Each structure stands twice: as structure tokens, then as C-alpha cells.
Amino acid sequence: MQRELRSVRSRHDDPELPDDITSQDLDRIARNELKTLSKDNAEAVGRHLAMAARVIDEDPELAHRHVMSAARRAGRIAVVRESLAITAYATGDFALALRELRTYRRISGSNDQLALMVDSERGVGRPDRALELGRSVERSSLPASVQVALAIAMSGARLDLGETEAALSELQIPQLDPKTAYSYSAELFAAYAEVLAELGREDEAELWNERAERADSAVSGTTDLDETMEILEIDEEDDEDEEFEGTELGDDVSENDVADSDDDEDTEEEDDDDHEDTDDEGDSASDPDDGAEQDAEASPRA
């Protein structure tokens, strides 16, 4: 008896793309990664990635659908898998985010999303594993902005475990400098203030929250680069209207990607990276959602 053959791949309809969105809206590094695809396919993938970046803050679900469309056409491209992880994280699917981040790290050899991996481990309820993962890479090998993001994620894992003093220690890194404002300083200062408040050190928490606000004001309108401005130390007796002063400097740290460390020791199902790129004739990659764990509940590069 013959049986009808049916695809096991879940249905996915490409979300609409506005006419004004093009692959040129992506940054140069992302566009270069897409050059391994055919011209038409690269343009389609680039448009979906660019659209995801545009809408992720307002509609993460829609951003995820756009990246899913990109992944079905270019599942072996690192920036595509990175973007898929980011949108999955934004929608609260931490298991999928973790799986895609592992794949991204294996393809790219980069640890620049280590903090998001640590936070995703937290998201699936494994703070111990999150701390183990965060300690698996030498901190000094990471760019300053990644070191800061990792410290914040590690501090969160400590809070998950009720280790408040240790959470504060995780944030006491060289970048916790109240005299200089970087693009990442406001978030670091605010995280430090939050832990101080947890410890009942309210006066210090208020001071660091004030520093966070001033740092945010000092670097508002700058790019995502590690641009820095000299700022005045905040005296606890100073008035609220004290101004930051200083000038912009160059990047403080160069990009240093690190080869992928062994991340297959945990019991999560490992993604077999069975996505395939497609060409103009319409061959499709396997569904990025296939095999994702469902044990759990920052934008794509643009």
C-alpha cells in the first residue's frame, strides 16, 4: 500500500519586506559573509537580516521570523546563526538561543557571544553551568566590551544561586572605572548598583546609579564601538547638575576572537548543523528549529 510522502519540515511563510530595505543596510562584515552565496540569494538573506535588525526592539517575534527566512536560505553562514540566536533569546526561547550560539561559535571560532551563552544557560535554569561556561575562556583574550557583558552575566548567575557577595565580586573588573565612560559603562555601573542594593548598601547603590546615568549621558549618540570620554569623578556631596567634561578618544581594545573551546560536555542536544545554503533555484536549508530543546521559557548585526 502506497503512502503519501509528506515533508516533516514545519511550514514557514516569509514575512513581507518593505521596498526600502536592502542588503546594503547590513554592516560590511556581515555583507562579506554573504558573498559565498549566489547574488540573488545573498540579497534576499541580507534583506531579511537587515529587517530583523530594524524591528527587533519593537517586535522580536517578527524579527525572529525574518531571521528564520534567512536561515532557511543560508544556514551555514555564521552571521545568520548568530542572528537566529539573538532573536530566539529576544523571544525568550533560551534553549534555541543556546543551541544556535553553540553552532555560531563552532562555525566562526569566535567567543564574542559568550555572555549571551552564559545568560541562556541561566534562562534554561542552569546557573551552575552558566558559571562553568563563563570560566572556560580566558577573560584577557576577550574584547573589553565582551568582558563587561560576561561579568554582568556571571554576576546574574551568582544572584540566581543566592551568592550576593560573589555577584558583587564578579563586577569588580578593571572596566568598573567611574572616571571614564565607555559605551558599556552605564550598563556595568547599573548592574553594580543593583547588587549593592541587594546587599542593603543603599547609599553606594544610589551613587553608582547616578554614575550610570551620567555615563549614559556622556556617550549617548555614539556608535557601538568602544569609544570613551573622560568624565569627572562624582563626589557624593556634589550637586545633581554637575556636568561631565572630556573629549572622545579612539577604540581602547582591538577585536580578538578566540578559537572555539570544547562546549559539547553538557547534556543539551547538540545541533548537527544540518542547514544548507541555497542558490537561485530555490533549494532550501533544513529548518533551524528542528531538534531544538524546549526546556525554557541584545539585535542582529546591522
Side-chain angles (χ1 to χ4, degrees), residues 27-43:
D27 66 25
R28 178 180 54 83
I29 296 175
R31 293 199 306 272
N32 284 342
E33 288 191 40
L34 301 182
K35 286 182 178 180
T36 59
L37 306 174
S38 65
K39 183 177 180 179
D40 289 345
N41 196 35
E43 179 63 21

Side-chain angles (χ1 to χ4, degrees), residues 2 11 33 85-86 129 171-172 187 195 210 247 252 273:
Q2 287 187 330
R11 179 179 175 81
E33 288 191 40
I86 291 170
R129 296 274 283 282
L171 297 171
Q172 291 169 343
E187 186 177 6
V195 181
E210 183 179 338
T247 57
D252 67 317
D273 191 29

Side-chain angles (χ1 to χ4, degrees), residues 71-185:
R72 286 168 175 258
R73 293 172 170 83
R76 295 186 184 277
I77 303 297
V79 68
V80 174
R81 302 303 283 269
E82 179 186 28
S83 300
L84 186 56
I86 291 170
T87 57
Y89 180 90
T91 63
D93 192 343
F94 302 115
L96 177 59
L98 189 57
R99 190 195 78 176
E100 293 302 324
L101 286 166
R102 289 197 191 103
T103 303
Y104 163 71
R105 188 165 75 162
R106 188 167 60 246
I107 293 172
S108 67
S110 170
N111 282 308
D112 60 5
Q113 292 292 356
L114 183 62
L116 199 62
M117 294 182 73
V118 169
D119 232 24
S120 295
E121 285 284 11
R122 292 180 60 208
V124 296
R126 295 196 294 258
D128 285 324
R129 296 274 283 282
L131 293 172
E132 182 180 352
L133 175 60
R135 292 190 295 263
S136 69
V137 175
E138 178 61 42
R139 297 283 183 95
S140 62
S141 67
L142 302 171
S145 58
V146 179
Q147 291 182 40
V148 169
L150 180 58
I152 294 172
M154 296 285 279
S155 179
R158 294 288 189 186
L159 289 176
D160 293 343
L161 295 169
E163 301 172 358
T164 314
E165 288 286 354
L168 192 68
S169 297
E170 293 284 358
L171 297 171
Q172 291 169 343
I173 58 179
Q175 291 83 7
L176 190 71
D177 180 1
K179 295 183 180 181
T180 309
Y182 294 84
S183 58
Y184 47 71
S185 295

Side-chain angles (χ1 to χ4, degrees), residues 17-23 25 47 51 54:
L17 287 164
D19 293 337
D20 67 329
I21 198 85
T22 74
S23 63
D25 295 319
R47 292 183 72 200
M51 188 62 187
R54 179 185 290 186

Side-chain angles (χ1 to χ4, degrees), residues 57-294:
D57 291 334
E58 295 79 20
D59 193 343
E61 293 285 351
L62 177 58
H64 188 61
R65 289 178 58 209
H66 277 288
V67 181
M68 285 287 294
S69 295
R72 286 168 175 258
R73 293 172 170 83
R76 295 186 184 277
I77 303 297
V79 68
V80 174
R81 302 303 283 269
E82 179 186 28
S83 300
L84 186 56
I86 291 170
T87 57
Y89 180 90
T91 63
D93 192 343
F94 302 115
L96 177 59
L98 189 57
R99 190 195 78 176
E100 293 302 324
L101 286 166
R102 289 197 191 103
T103 303
Y104 163 71
R105 188 165 75 162
R106 188 167 60 246
I107 293 172
S108 67
S110 170
N111 282 308
D112 60 5
Q113 292 292 356
L114 183 62
L116 199 62
M117 294 182 73
V118 169
D119 232 24
S120 295
E121 285 284 11
R122 292 180 60 208
V124 296
R126 295 196 294 258
D128 285 324
R129 296 274 283 282
L131 293 172
E132 182 180 352
L133 175 60
R135 292 190 295 263
S136 69
V137 175
E138 178 61 42
R139 297 283 183 95
S140 62
S141 67
L142 302 171
S145 58
V146 179
Q147 291 182 40
V148 169
L150 180 58
I152 294 172
M154 296 285 279
S155 179
R158 294 288 189 186
L159 289 176
D160 293 343
L161 295 169
E163 301 172 358
T164 314
E165 288 286 354
L168 192 68
S169 297
E170 293 284 358
L171 297 171
Q172 291 169 343
I173 58 179
Q175 291 83 7
L176 190 71
D177 180 1
K179 295 183 180 181
T180 309
Y182 294 84
S183 58
Y184 47 71
S185 295
E187 186 177 6
L188 177 60
F189 295 172
Y192 197 64
E194 181 181 353
V195 181
L196 286 169
E198 288 282 336
L199 290 168
R201 295 159 61 175
E202 297 295 341
D203 289 344
E204 293 175 82
E206 183 178 352
L207 176 62
W208 281 96
N209 273 323
E210 183 179 338
R211 286 169 170 164
E213 292 175 5
R214 290 173 179 257
D216 184 57
S217 297
V219 298
S220 61
T222 61
T223 66
D224 289 334
L225 299 175
D226 291 336
E227 295 180 349
T228 176
M229 298 181 71
E230 294 267 342
I231 61 177
L232 291 176
E233 171 62 66
I234 301 171
D235 193 307
E236 294 183 49
E237 298 178 359
D238 286 345
D239 292 333
E240 283 290 323
D241 59 355
E242 184 180 38
E243 296 283 333
F244 283 109
E245 297 179 357
T247 57
E248 292 187 357
L249 306 178
D251 293 357
D252 67 317
V253 172
S254 61
E255 188 78 16
N256 290 314
D257 289 339
V258 180
D260 187 15
S261 60
D262 185 6
D263 58 350
D264 297 331
E265 294 176 358
D266 58 48
T267 56
E268 284 256 46
E269 179 181 350
E270 183 68 21
D271 179 28
D272 62 3
D273 191 29
D274 58 354
H275 297 274
E276 297 179 358
D277 299 345
T278 64
D279 56 19
D280 299 342
E281 274 75 33
D283 294 336
S284 59
S286 59
D287 190 344
D289 282 331
D290 289 344
E293 295 179 55
Q294 301 299 325

